[in-house]
Amino acid sequence: MAADSEPESEVFEITDFTTASEWERFISKVEEVLNDWKLIGNSLGKPLEKGIFTSGTWEEKSDEISFADFKFSVTHHYLVQESTDKEGKDELLEDVVPQSMQDLLGMNNDFPPRAHCLVRWYGLREFVVIAPAAHSDAVLSESKCNLLLSSVSIALGNTGWCHSLCKFTTNGEECM
């Protein structure tokens, strides 16, 4: 009876150990950003018109994530396309050549004169760049670089976006 009269002063806490390390939290944050931007799975767009990389409208979305005490900027660059033809875009496909590979092989838009360096070099209509948020946060050691690259690779694989190309800069500089 004495136990029933005592007030419940104990606080019930649940500690989530599913993402216990900084490495796992970083992977989870990259996955979260990609999912928020709906960059999951394989989907195909229509073939690009000649010269669209120069004349088209490019947009970007950015977010910041951190790994231990390093901050990184994640930026999604993409060519804005008319969405009137939705028959192939929203349908997730498994056994097809990924869109990024089709863009690489397409010769309609090789080497546009004015575009992001990855567009000029590879002819991509959509890509993600992960770079240190500040020049002082440059990743200089090879082991940290390999750890971050493998983390991004795992996150891309978990979201189904592993078919696309991802550029990871270690010195914070972006080519233009």
Side-chain angles (χ1 to χ4, degrees), residues 66-103:
S66 59
F67 179 71
D69 54 350
F70 294 99
K71 291 204 178 298
F72 293 92
S73 172
V74 182
T75 308
H76 174 221
H77 300 266
Y78 57 98
L79 179 65
V80 177
Q81 298 175 10
E82 56 189 63
S83 59
T84 56
D85 183 25
K86 292 195 174 201
E87 56 197 43
K89 185 70 175 167
D90 290 337
E91 184 180 327
L92 292 178
L93 306 168
E94 272 188 38
D95 295 332
V96 295
V97 177
Q99 185 66 62
S100 57
M101 294 304 293
Q102 289 183 17
D103 287 347

Side-chain angles (χ1 to χ4, degrees), residues 22-30 65-74 130-133 137-156 166-172:
E22 287 290 332
W23 179 66
E24 292 167 320
R25 281 190 280 279
F26 179 72
I27 292 171
S28 176
K29 185 61 179 166
V30 171
I65 58 175
S66 59
F67 179 71
D69 54 350
F70 294 99
K71 291 204 178 298
F72 293 92
S73 172
V74 182
I130 300 177
D137 288 342
V139 180
L140 301 176
S141 78
E142 187 176 344
S143 61
K144 271 189 185 174
C145 205
N146 287 334
L147 179 66
L148 292 170
L149 284 171
S150 65
S151 301
V152 170
S153 178
I154 290 169
L156 292 173
C166 180
K167 177 180 183 257
F168 183 83
T169 65
T170 56
N171 61 2

